[in-house]
Amino acid sequence: MLPHTLVSDERRAAAAAAATAPNGVPTPAPTPRIGLMLVGWGGNNGSTLTAALKAHAHQLTWRSADGVHTPNYLGSLTQASTVALGTKSTSHNEKVYVPMKDVLPMLDPKDLVIGGWDISGAPLANAMRRAAVLPWDLQRQVAEFLVDDAATDATSDGARAPLRPLAGIYDADYVALNQRERADHVLPFPGQPWLQMAQIRADIRGFKQKHALDRVIVLWTGNTERCVPLMVGVHDTPRAMFRAMQQNHAEIAPSVLYATAALLEDTPFINGSPQNTLLPGLQTLAQIRGVPLAGDDFKSGQTKLKSVLMDFLVSAGLKPVSLASYNHLGNNDGHNLSSTAQFRSKEVSKRGVVEDVRVAARENFDHAAGPDHIIVIKYMPAVGDSKRAIDEYVSDIFMGGKHTLTTYNVCEDSLLAVPLMIDLVVLMELFQRVKYQTVDADGFQPLHPIASLLSYMLKAPVVPARAAVVNALGPQRRALENILRACVGLQPVNELELENKAYRDF
Amino acid sequence: MLPHTLVSDERRAAAAAAATAPNGVPTPAPTPRIGLMLVGWGGNNGSTLTAALKAHAHQLTWRSADGVHTPNYLGSLTQASTVALGTKSTSHNEKVYVPMKDVLPMLDPKDLVIGGWDISGAPLANAMRRAAVLPWDLQRQVAEFLVDDAATDATSDGARAPLRPLAGIYDADYVALNQRERADHVLPFPGQPWLQMAQIRADIRGFKQKHALDRVIVLWTGNTERCVPLMVGVHDTPRAMFRAMQQNHAEIAPSVLYATAALLEDTPFINGSPQNTLLPGLQTLAQIRGVPLAGDDFKSGQTKLKSVLMDFLVSAGLKPVSLASYNHLGNNDGHNLSSTAQFRSKEVSKRGVVEDVRVAARENFDHAAGPDHIIVIKYMPAVGDSKRAIDEYVSDIFMGGKHTLTTYNVCEDSLLAVPLMIDLVVLMELFQRVKYQTVDADGFQPLHPIASLLSYMLKAPVVPARAAVVNALGPQRRALENILRACVGLQPVNELELENKAYRDF
Amino acid sequence: MLPHTLVSDERRAAAAAAATAPNGVPTPAPTPRIGLMLVGWGGNNGSTLTAALKAHAHQLTWRSADGVHTPNYLGSLTQASTVALGTKSTSHNEKVYVPMKDVLPMLDPKDLVIGGWDISGAPLANAMRRAAVLPWDLQRQVAEFLVDDAATDATSDGARAPLRPLAGIYDADYVALNQRERADHVLPFPGQPWLQMAQIRADIRGFKQKHALDRVIVLWTGNTERCVPLMVGVHDTPRAMFRAMQQNHAEIAPSVLYATAALLEDTPFINGSPQNTLLPGLQTLAQIRGVPLAGDDFKSGQTKLKSVLMDFLVSAGLKPVSLASYNHLGNNDGHNLSSTAQFRSKEVSKRGVVEDVRVAARENFDHAAGPDHIIVIKYMPAVGDSKRAIDEYVSDIFMGGKHTLTTYNVCEDSLLAVPLMIDLVVLMELFQRVKYQTVDADGFQPLHPIASLLSYMLKAPVVPARAAVVNALGPQRRALENILRACVGLQPVNELELENKAYRDF
Amino acid sequence: MLPHTLVSDERRAAAAAAATAPNGVPTPAPTPRIGLMLVGWGGNNGSTLTAALKAHAHQLTWRSADGVHTPNYLGSLTQASTVALGTKSTSHNEKVYVPMKDVLPMLDPKDLVIGGWDISGAPLANAMRRAAVLPWDLQRQVAEFLVDDAATDATSDGARAPLRPLAGIYDADYVALNQRERADHVLPFPGQPWLQMAQIRADIRGFKQKHALDRVIVLWTGNTERCVPLMVGVHDTPRAMFRAMQQNHAEIAPSVLYATAALLEDTPFINGSPQNTLLPGLQTLAQIRGVPLAGDDFKSGQTKLKSVLMDFLVSAGLKPVSLASYNHLGNNDGHNLSSTAQFRSKEVSKRGVVEDVRVAARENFDHAAGPDHIIVIKYMPAVGDSKRAIDEYVSDIFMGGKHTLTTYNVCEDSLLAVPLMIDLVVLMELFQRVKYQTVDADGFQPLHPIASLLSYMLKAPVVPARAAVVNALGPQRRALENILRACVGLQPVNELELENKAYRDF
């Protein structure tokens, strides 16, 4: 049975009520202030997230050709989807749906204090314009709010300083060559990872202190790096990693430095890109320190759809024989991925999605080999952030027939990713407060630091050593729903509805 | 807890083992012989089902341009999909998958004895050719097996008579005018439903006797009829229906006559078309007699996909604002649906699929109205049975953005429908043998006769009076899995995998 | 050989040069001022045209998410496409391309004085906002220029009056019922067509006088009307039409009144909608008065593409067997077309496009029947002006194979239509100035008043009585190019390039 | 003015009539027998061509699921498309269409004697089965006709020997590594191109003699080779090429050997793959000997469509900004192209298609850079010969709008290519018989040996040195039509139809 402790700002009343629930544990008096530090803050995702939350906080409205718009959280599981908690007492056939964010007290996204690093020194307002994601009329208005609430300019007039990223770690060996032109704002100590990591630690402490934060979460939304070849004596233990950093080993990626720094500062780390940042040594470090880790790679777009459709086909007893997956996009993510090594990281992360459907079918039917599966990502500047994803699924069907399903998906890349970033942060914060007790033990335990419950938002979920990876979206969401239900004392959903199957009921 | 009683032919060993399970009940000694009577036997679905099962029974192989083919059951949940029963004892992260048909003893489809009615008198071999569904080289070989195993020709040489449908009920008021040219083999007594119904009852009895069957299932795979306007005193009770039949009331559809006849012969009835055959009076009759009913409308193609994708979008917190659904096909189903009244029946059945996702979102967000939803079905002779379905989903996303997903689906209409027909029959037969007991009662009860567990295969599931309709495919499949699990004494799946979430596990 | 007379405003220099060309005819001294009166001025097309030309005139720039934009004429044949006039003298393999607008002196679109009628009285600035077509940041700026340059407000401060349409003829019998709510600004004399027509004539004269115009062109961009059944004694001669109007005959459509009024005022009329406005009596009237007529129906989107693709398939020797054509849109055009009678007009206009490819193939191959062809248009408010068109072409190919081509086309309806409106007006004005002389005649003649040269821009081109309709886009464009070439004394293009085929050249 | 001489077998009567035409030249008495030698005879194209022509010759019919089929020539310009020769004398608005093959006497494809080379020694019947292109019921029947009409087996029973390719030149350096497993039937003298070329010459002479042929055409339908880097002293003159061959130079591709052998045997050579076989030295050799050459790369599928659609967009004044082109296929062509060097040849050939539309727009508008253009070809075994091509065109339109057109094309690769092979051979044979005379010269001349008139069938047309490449499909077809018209004394088409533009006509 899972009790929980808990939560954020203006939900104090709710928290108080929750504290009296059967499994409740008293709420800590002051609501925690949470900070979010983004690696790649000035990128499309980072600048969009920041500006959008400011728009929410200041209740901005804006116009486009088709009328007036207000800020929303569409695309966020926690903020914009519901959970069925039961049926109405007055009618067995009407379910009661509650927004997921109201099932338990959760962080309100607009209370987040946001900061971070970038290898481009552009102030956030400029970064937002360069991203070309948000509507112009919103960009126009929100720019004035992209200032540092905790600082004043050098100038005497008391104006707020524009928000600017801290200098980021740049290692040309890990990202595409074409990123070089952006890299105008980089951390010193090139080739000296240990010193760089120390600086990142100092940055985290400084951010926490400056904004009087209770806790911070670090989220990588930077460029996809090339993967590192797993090396014994370098990546397998915390100690080995530390030594490798001190010895300026070449196979220490910048993302690993951010993650290590975060853990050493007792700060959860989430990897939103596909490279293999969450190395064995890092996972061990997380477990030793009891600080959560999650990754890899935001599952914002086509991969999410693919996992749904492959599950659909195989669950229906069809046999997919080929899956061609073409993508093109024109933002900086696409630019970086046009380089082979970085694409390889991405390809691996996107490929896994069909793996468990393949396994599901393997032993009993002749689906052993899985479908032919090709993945293409191309950089096409003209489409900007408006990513195009085209997939074709060919399946063998009854008696030698063929079934062909083709999907054409126009995805606003950052507008789909940002709500996932919000969910990752909100749920990461929540699950740090959830504890559980097993029947044969006394005392409550926190959840395992490898936060596999966040898999719904991640393309290539990292899970605890002996657990199976679940890629299918349905089960991932159900796991989330059922743990939230458990926290409020409800049984998991099983869909049986036996009360409606009774014959005598007639 | 759900115990079950037993099963088909060559699975006696399995059944015996099952009988010793904790909740088992002794298996009846002789395996039942099951008959299947199709309304619309000579149509594309009926002739394809018949020929395919013969191909299985006689292990035929055939060639097409791309090589040699053998019979399969792809597209059938029971025959070609798996259920995860647990994880391997040797490794927590490897699941054990079992074909659904092996979880419990079930009917083997090729043991079915098939018969039925049609308003076209073509022998099944001709019907199969007219359908133009199966590969020619299979058609060529299987024709000789489309003969009546229980009859000999009038001719002296002892050759088997070709399979031919019994004369069907034809009422021009219920199907499209264009069906008139097919109707060369119709039951007498036009306008006298009571007499027609009596003849159908006699046909069922005759079929059962001729083939020495234990039980029969009747499955409507005929033309979509127009819906009837629900009338008090005509359709609301069994008595009213009988009287209306005797008084030659015009609003008694042929499908209602088949269903009534089936129930009166203690034979389950399944409605594979969208018209409102399962009227209140008929449902009451089923409950009085304890004979199962299921319907409406095979969910073989695009509607299934739509339910998955709408669920995907709404579950992800997006807000679908429009859904355009275009279909064209060139088989006789399409020909019949080109008539307005029949299309109306279909449209209603296809529309429901978005209803529960709409409800899920309604109360908490401004999704109240649901998306604009248009449905078009056109008759296009040139594409034959190879139905084309094109859908476009437009959704509002984060901060005023739009997401557009378009699917193009080439579906072999009958090759997708036939495996569902097999599942409906296999599961209907199984659930007749499943009984359950509640904690506060003594003795086992059968399941409710309105077989809502078959919803996965049906576009517009009919459910018991006070139950909620579930259209989402995921929950429908989980309900099936969990009831099968319950029958063998396993807990329902909840996806929590708490054993992998334990921190101390480290 | 075709000489021409000439031209517009700031092109006087060019005109002077042209006047000395071998086939030139002296240029009239003052440049004509041209007015354009739109029927349906306040609709999406009318308001977009007006605002866009103001943006050009005032050189406005605007911002959207992806940067700064300047006005363009993309989509206009005359303003944004080129014609190859020959090859460079220095190199046989480099062609010389010239913008079509520079081949001959033509009207500059931004010199047009625009006015017209509408059944909705909204000022143009409001109409533009209601249309939701142009980017907001442009809407915001251009609004102040949507004022009447030739009038001042009643108010004393000398401000310009906002542009407002004249009251339009409204006859509920001709457009969809749903248009009633827009009809707040209608001409009096309901049911009295003769009086209404007289008012339209007065409106034209008034507009011409107020703006000191040399000539006016009337362009119908209003709602699609239902077609009228062609009646002898009503529609066949000018005299019959006049009498029918005087007798308040019900089968006189509003569009016919505008067209008649225009011709009687020596003003060309262009019909941009599909209804059969250009009745025989009207065509005769045009010929008697020597005033040009053109129609029907802007070919802005999918029909244009279909004519190209059908031509492609048939020209390649393939045999199209089916063409499914689905459209949905959410603007007022779509709303009006959701009514059956209006859709019927549209369907006829869209269907013709495959006719000449069918004829091309008919006599020699078994293509006699033409492909199955279905056309669907649906009203889907959520997509607004962003029309979706989805077509599927199935063709028989070599040795029993099939070829399937599917297109998905996202067309901004008004942004594609407006450039065609510009071309229709520019070319109509030009062709009024073109005259020709045949070898066996003396003196120059104007072109035939049925302006079939404008077919490229029209879905269902009306042509002179004995001429064949050409729907194929390639030949339509070539006809335009070759007449322009002829006007400047060049031979028509024949693609032979015999100079490059010579063997001795080696 | 173009006179012609002429042609084939059963068209003698037609020929005689044609001979009396104004520009006619007396027909040579005996009809020529034409042989076709394919390089890559056993591939999908070669085996399909051979079997299909046998099916035509023997008037085979076959069945598939949807009924009985007879041989056709759909997809062939000459055999299955028409040309409009004029209008009916009885009615100006009815055009007279004539099959292209009847405009002039042309070779009948089924009279061709077919032979050739392959690096796989499989008899043609096996090759046809391996190709998996033709329907099984046709494969079954036609196999017995895939025998050598001019040879008898070694066996005494007089049975015909099965058709088998001659051994082909195999150089692993030029094709993908994966072709090695097919290469079981290769010419000796590896690394000695001069000897190999001599053998090919002997093969051509032998084939001609064995079948008593008047003329032979050699057509490369083999694997795409990598391109060679153009080298002075190796590829620039015939002499250099001969010397390079004698010196066993590594940059002499097998295709160059076949082409050289063909020219030296006075045999036209056509290159159906994209590599740069038609090197400058080879072109010079063709001109010296007066033997025609044509290439490169069959334009059977998506590239043809792209050239049409790009032309459509640019001609309409729109501005394409991106073109994403994705292809996957599962035949041996796809297998070979999965190798980088071979793909590079293909990419170049496919890319050129947008070049002339770019040039058309360049000088006058800001289209200078042309659209972003990506091309992907992937090997996907599961789809076999049924190639999938998906293209997305994004264009800038009026006032900052966007237009997006997406096409999904299911192309039977060989069934579309084979009719083009037929056209290339038929027209190549025809144009060898066409001669012309210019006004200032006496005597007739043959056409230039670089056969640019065949461009319609070729992706990357090779043209005479100083001529411009025309990629647009419309002009390519018009050039063909107009030269055929010229040969029968008709004026070229100019689309003006001035007779319908006359005002006085009224």
Side-chain angles (χ1 to χ4, degrees), chain B residues 201-375:
Chain B
R201 291 187 64 177
D203 289 345
I204 296 172
R205 282 194 305 271
F207 183 69
K208 207 163 163 181
Q209 186 173 6
K210 174 176 172 187
H211 296 284
L213 302 168
D214 293 295
R215 279 181 286 138
V216 170
I217 293 172
V218 173
L219 175 58
W220 174 279
T221 179
N223 277 325
T224 294
E225 298 174 335
R226 68 167 175 83
C227 284
V228 299
L230 207 60
M231 294 174 176
V232 175
V234 178
H235 305 125
D236 51 344
T237 66
R239 184 181 303 260
M241 285 174 59
F242 295 156
R243 195 174 43 227
M245 290 176 196
Q246 285 156 349
Q247 296 176 351
N248 305 333
H249 196 287
E251 291 301 324
I252 297 294
S255 64
V256 171
L257 299 179
Y258 286 99
T260 306
L263 295 180
L264 294 178
E265 295 298 327
D266 293 324
T267 293
F269 178 86
I270 304 169
N271 176 29
S273 289
Q275 72 277 341
N276 59 347
T277 303
L278 306 194
L279 296 160
L282 205 69
Q283 294 190 33
T284 303
L285 185 61
Q287 289 171 321
I288 288 170
R289 301 190 64 90
V291 183
L293 271 183
D296 298 331
D297 208 6
F298 303 138
K299 182 161 62 179
S300 56
Q302 195 60 4
T303 303
K304 191 144 98 185
L305 181 62
K306 276 163 69 175
S307 75
V308 167
L309 290 175
M310 284 300 287
D311 186 44
F312 161 66
L313 294 168
V314 173
S315 295
L318 304 178
K319 179 182 166 187
V321 292
S322 74
L323 169 45
S325 206
Y326 301 117
N327 304 266
H328 56 272
L329 74 172
N331 58 20
N332 192 48
D333 182 28
H335 202 190
N336 181 55
L337 289 174
S338 63
S339 170
T340 306
Q342 285 66 37
F343 168 69
R344 210 52 80 193
S345 297
K346 194 78 181 182
E347 190 184 21
V348 168
S349 139
K350 287 174 97 77
R351 189 170 293 281
V353 81
V354 308
E355 186 56 16
D356 45 359
V357 295
R358 193 180 69 70
V359 170
R362 187 176 50 197
E363 293 178 35
N364 309 289
F365 305 108
D366 61 336
H367 303 200
D372 296 347
H373 187 185
I374 56 178
I375 298 169

Side-chain angles (χ1 to χ4, degrees), chain C residues 11-42:
Chain C
R11 297 189 187 277
R12 233 165 310 173
T20 66
N23 302 304
V25 164
T27 307
T31 298
R33 271 175 69 83
I34 306 293
L36 171 62
M37 296 188 80
L38 299 168
V39 192
W41 189 17

Side-chain angles (χ1 to χ4, degrees), chain D residues 38-41 116-120 165-175 179 182-204 218 220 222-223 225 245 252-262 269:
Chain D
L38 299 168
V39 191
W41 189 16
W117 304 264
D118 208 285
I119 59 171
S120 157
L166 299 161
I169 305 175
Y170 174 65
D171 185 338
D173 180 35
Y174 282 88
V175 292
Q179 297 302 305
R182 266 176 104 101
D184 61 9
H185 182 58
V186 307
L187 214 63
F189 321 122
Q192 297 176 279
W194 185 254
L195 296 184
Q196 292 178 319
M197 198 266 286
Q199 178 61 48
I200 299 300
R201 292 188 62 178
D203 289 344
I204 296 173
V218 173
W220 174 278
N223 277 325
E225 299 174 336
M245 290 177 198
I252 297 294
S255 63
V256 170
L257 299 179
Y258 286 100
T260 307
F269 179 85

Side-chain angles (χ1 to χ4, degrees), chain C residues 446-466:
Chain C
L447 293 176
H448 194 288
I450 305 300
S452 59
L453 278 165
L454 304 185
S455 298
Y456 183 92
M457 275 74 72
L458 296 164
K459 270 199 198 81
V462 174
V463 300
R466 295 205 300 274

Side-chain angles (χ1 to χ4, degrees), chain C residues 291-309:
Chain C
V291 183
L293 271 184
D296 294 334
D297 208 6
F298 303 138
K299 183 161 62 179
S300 55
Q302 195 60 4
T303 302
K304 190 144 98 184
L305 181 62
K306 276 163 69 173
S307 75
V308 167
L309 289 176

Side-chain angles (χ1 to χ4, degrees), chain B residues 326 328 372 381-382 388 392 408, chain C residues 326 328 372 381-382 388 392 408:
Chain B
Y326 301 117
H328 56 272
D372 296 347
R388 314 302 158 93
E392 187 204 53
Y408 173 66
Chain C
Y326 301 117
H328 55 273
D372 295 346
R388 314 302 159 93
E392 187 205 52
Y408 172 66

Side-chain angles (χ1 to χ4, degrees), chain A residues 424-443:
Chain A
L424 284 164
V425 170
V426 167
L427 292 172
M428 176 62 95
E429 195 282 327
L430 174 69
F431 291 140
Q432 278 193 282
R433 287 180 287 118
V434 169
K435 289 187 178 48
Y436 81 107
Q437 180 176 34
T438 50
V439 284
D440 55 348
D442 44 24

